[in-house]
Amino acid sequence: MKLALIGYGNVGRALARLLRQKRRPFPFTITGIHTLRHGTAIDPAGLPVEPQFGPGAASIEEFLNAARAEIAVELTTLNPSTGEPAISHIRAAFARGMHVATANKGPLAHAYADLRDEAARAGLGFRFESAVMDGAPVFNLWRHTMPGVKVLGFTGALNSTSKVVIETMEGGGSFDEGLADARKMGITEADGAFDVEGWDSAAKTAALANVLMDARATPQQVSTRGITRLTPERMQEMVRGGKTVRLISRGRRTASGLSLRVRAEVLDRCDVLACTPGTSNLILFHTDLMGTFGTVSINPGVEQTAYGVFSDLVELSRGVDGANVVRGNGVVGRHES
Ligand SMILES: NC(=O)c1ccc[n+]([C@@H]2O[C@H](COP(=O)([O-])OP(=O)(O)OC[C@H]3O[C@@H](n4cnc5c(N)ncnc54)[C@H](OP(=O)(O)O)[C@@H]3O)[C@@H](O)[C@H]2O)c1
């Protein structure tokens, strides 16, 4: 199948490498790449390993028309305030009959229900496995293995950058050194403040609630405090007391609606939420039929994020009926509209 990549940064480049590696069993072809400042590359017959970028297409519509792909892969920078322009990119792809895979949590955090319904009406697929946990199965686990289960809440340590910063300070390094280390790994948002101030976690919290609990929440509605007040001295004191800190996302149904929050929580080092070294992520789902269970990903990197997108592409290539979605009431099933 032909792919049009919107965004070619850490994840886009890792995805291109993975597609080359798996080209024989999974013959995807990249026919276009569009970026913000580095221009646009197009070849409907397939771009070479080192694409030549010309001037940027005048608009996303012009790019998608020229790329003539079957799947648009949205990998642009997170905008936690509005989810744009990624939401418009996705709509432009749907308008051209293209399926969409994205690692960008912004659209899920701001417009999930509308995009889900628009895709279903058009008979198109919309996949986003990497948006919350760097490629570890979260949404596909739900979609494919949990029939009839209702999500009552979730608890997650979902921000890798904050963990790298905390571990650096526990070892005596500074906050900024930790952030620089995370940036070198390619795991920070373009604006690292989004990670340490909690906006990345707030967007993930809203995205999880929107997809799994039909919340129609935005990151602004998530009560959020990041890790910016932590210091190396405070972190080392905690280490001596057998404690650590994790930026924890929590969502739960309450009598008055949904409670969504992100906090830097002090945890015992043996707490299951604290057993997430380096870039590791962990999520626990609280459910009616399956009790509490979870997924953990140990030290994922950008290759794992790329794998999550790849898994979406494989799913989309295997046929989409546009109706197989996670239903708004938190129950997995077929969409009936
Ligand atoms: N990195 C990770 O580990 C990770 C993990 C999970 C999810 N994600 C998500 O994946 C997405 C991509 O992350 P990344 O690390 O690859 O980001 P990145 O390295 O900052 O790359 C972003 C890419 O998007 C392009 N871009 C930005 N705005 C655009 C626009 N309006 N139109 C066209 N292209 C635009 C940029 O163009 P230029 O090259 O010209 O600047 C760049 O190529 C983000 O939404 C992020 O939240 C990343």
Side-chain angles (χ1 to χ4, degrees), residues 8-11 36-38 76-77 103-105 134 186 189 305:
Y8 198 57
N10 294 307
V11 180
L36 185 63
R37 297 163 301 171
H38 293 90
T76 67
T77 320
N104 191 334
K105 66 217 87 151
D134 300 327
E189 292 300 332
T305 304

